Amino acid sequence: MDNLVNQLKSTALSVGEMFTPVLKESKFKETGVLTPEEFVVAGDHLVHHCPTWQWSRAIDAKHTKEYLPENKQFLITKHVPCYRRCSQMHYDSNLEKIIKEDGDNGDAQDEWVDTHHFAPETTQKVEHADVVEKAPVSNADDDDDDEGPPMDMDSFIASGGLEEEDPNRYIAPIAKPETQNSTSGDNIVRTRTYDLHITYDKYYQVPRLWLIGYDENKQLLKEEQMNEDFSEDHANKTITIENHPFLNIHMASIHPCRHAEVMKRLIEQLADNGKELGVHQYLLVFLKFVQAVIPTIEYDYTRSIQL
């Protein structure tokens, strides 16, 4: 039933997008939205600082959006490792406290909160040779001694941005990753991988994240399998299966209805602290706050955000 409702909503939004005019004037500081030109600026900045992300064209000319450059229709990164399922993570009790306090203050109870975890030990082998070659290796274990409590939006702002070593909470899993023994007796991590795409949503006027997953044999994951890698609070709610606007395939997508609201709040609180968020930094911040929805997918290798 949830999927049917989501499909109907998706169809309605597609129709609404057809009649939504392209945003021409910047409203970034006022409302947290982006024009297509600002989306391209933010995308160029992301690609420059995080080379694992690249621009891509539409698969067919008929899917090309005329309000975006032909060679910069959407952003893509491939072979992103996902070592563990969300059920194997242990969340700090402070996380529930933060969410509850936000709710008591009248804010939405599903406020974005960064939650991370430990990647498997470096002594274990990854069962995807191309992942080792193409994806950066998490250095979470190196930062073990400097951990702090999980960061909410206020803590993010008070810290002046994300430090070079990333102060986000890394939370140790309570279960070992699924492994199998090789003939030599070594442990091999059965690693899933994801391809991630960022598109510009013309209706909501914000970036939108899309995901498609593969198992250790490079076979497509089923919807119920991908839900194992999504936060339980967001699976089939914030994350739905919809048709990709450029590739004509079904992919999981984080619904963008609250993205502008979160960004607007961040901009305002930064201003209260005498700081300013540049539009070119939008996607770096965007990737930070959506990590709460997909905490086990290790895509976040963004650089320090200087505010």
Side-chain angles (χ1 to χ4, degrees), residues 254-272:
I254 299 180
H255 201 273
C257 59
R258 292 196 60 231
H259 292 357
E261 173 192 342
V262 173
M263 192 61 68
K264 180 176 181 291
R265 181 185 171 200
L266 175 59
I267 293 170
E268 291 174 346
Q269 294 191 22
L270 282 170
D272 291 342

Side-chain angles (χ1 to χ4, degrees), residues 225-295:
Q225 291 175 305
M226 288 196 294
N227 282 336
E228 297 172 349
D229 300 323
F230 305 152
S231 163
E232 184 178 347
D233 293 334
H234 299 94
N236 293 319
K237 299 172 186 176
T238 305
I239 297 185
T240 55
I241 305 297
E242 300 185 36
N243 197 49
H244 193 288
F246 296 104
L247 303 180
N248 198 31
I249 60 174
H250 284 84
M251 293 178 64
S253 177
I254 299 180
H255 201 273
C257 59
R258 292 196 60 231
H259 292 357
E261 173 192 342
V262 173
M263 192 61 68
K264 180 176 181 291
R265 181 185 171 200
L266 175 59
I267 293 170
E268 291 174 346
Q269 294 191 22
L270 282 170
D272 291 342
N273 286 274
K275 299 179 181 179
E276 182 177 0
L277 179 69
V279 70
H280 63 288
Q281 298 169 304
Y282 197 114
L283 290 179
L284 295 177
V285 176
F286 169 77
L287 288 172
K288 292 293 183 183
F289 69 69
V290 297
Q291 184 80 72
V293 183
I294 47 175

Side-chain angles (χ1 to χ4, degrees), residues 50-54 74-80 134-136 194-198 209-210 212 287 299 301:
C50 307
T52 53
W53 287 93
Q54 296 294 325
F74 66 100
L75 291 149
I76 181 171
T77 185
K78 294 184 176 182
H79 309 295
V80 179
K134 298 179 181 179
Y194 278 83
D195 292 349
L196 276 58
H197 302 177
I198 302 176
L209 187 67
W210 301 78
I212 187 166
L287 288 172
Y299 69 84
Y301 304 105

